[in-house]
Amino acid sequence: MAPIDAPDTQRAIWSAAKQGERIVYGVPGQTPLLSLSCEEGDGESTVRITRFVTTDAEADAIMALIGNGHRARLPIEAVWNGQGWLWESNFPASLPDLDVFTGLRAVEATIPGAGTVVLNPSPLPARLVEQCRGDPVTDRSPE
């Protein structure tokens, strides 16, 4: 697939999804750009990251995340969701690389060919990661 331009995220926000422990990021009323969810399974919980952009079948890549004083490079793969191939992977909730989501600053998420998505600041990603880890929820809302 041809590379895409970075989407405009000036009006994008994080919001709770209607089902499960999942948050979505995007411009209200439009297709989400990215989601984070907590998946309960045997043993340790995982955080699922989904980038909603069409990709080549069965592709693999490294997603770079930069923000909140952290840098992470996480493997991500093309997954068939019943309608198309999207970027998605699960990571152990305890993975220190997920700390990139636990601050109150913007995060840049880049996947080769899928552009860079600037994730605007919100307390929701930190809450999801911390709850998935079983950590006490910290109130990160501005006063």
Side-chain angles (χ1 to χ4, degrees):
M1 302 208 85
I4 66 168
D5 292 330
D8 180 2
T9 59
Q10 284 185 327
R11 297 184 307 119
I13 61 170
W14 286 99
S15 59
K18 293 178 180 158
Q19 71 275 25
E21 294 184 47
R22 182 172 176 245
I23 58 173
V24 294
Y25 179 75
V27 176
Q30 296 181 10
T31 301
L33 298 170
L34 191 128
S35 72
L36 298 176
S37 62
C38 180
E39 308 289 323
E40 302 294 332
D42 295 334
E44 187 174 21
S45 298
T46 61
V47 173
R48 176 180 291 170
I49 301 173
T50 304
R51 172 70 171 96
F52 294 97
V53 65
T54 303
T55 188
D56 295 327
E58 301 177 8
D60 292 316
I62 298 294
M63 177 176 49
L65 297 160
I66 300 171
N68 291 305
H70 298 280
R71 293 181 180 179
R73 288 174 178 75
L74 301 173
I76 194 159
E77 58 191 35
V79 175
W80 179 256
N81 76 346
Q83 299 176 356
W85 292 91
L86 303 176
W87 291 110
E88 186 171 83
S89 284
N90 283 8
F91 304 96
S94 62
L95 185 69
D97 285 339
L98 295 177
D99 288 349
V100 71
F101 294 112
T102 62
L104 289 176
R105 295 189 183 120
V107 174
E108 289 186 13
T110 305
I111 300 173
T116 296
V117 176
V118 175
L119 306 172
N120 294 324
S122 169
L124 294 178
R127 282 190 200 136
L128 183 132
V129 170
E130 290 169 354
Q131 286 176 341
C132 200
R133 288 175 172 168
D135 292 345
V137 177
T138 305
D139 182 10
R140 296 176 181 268
S141 57
E143 303 209 44

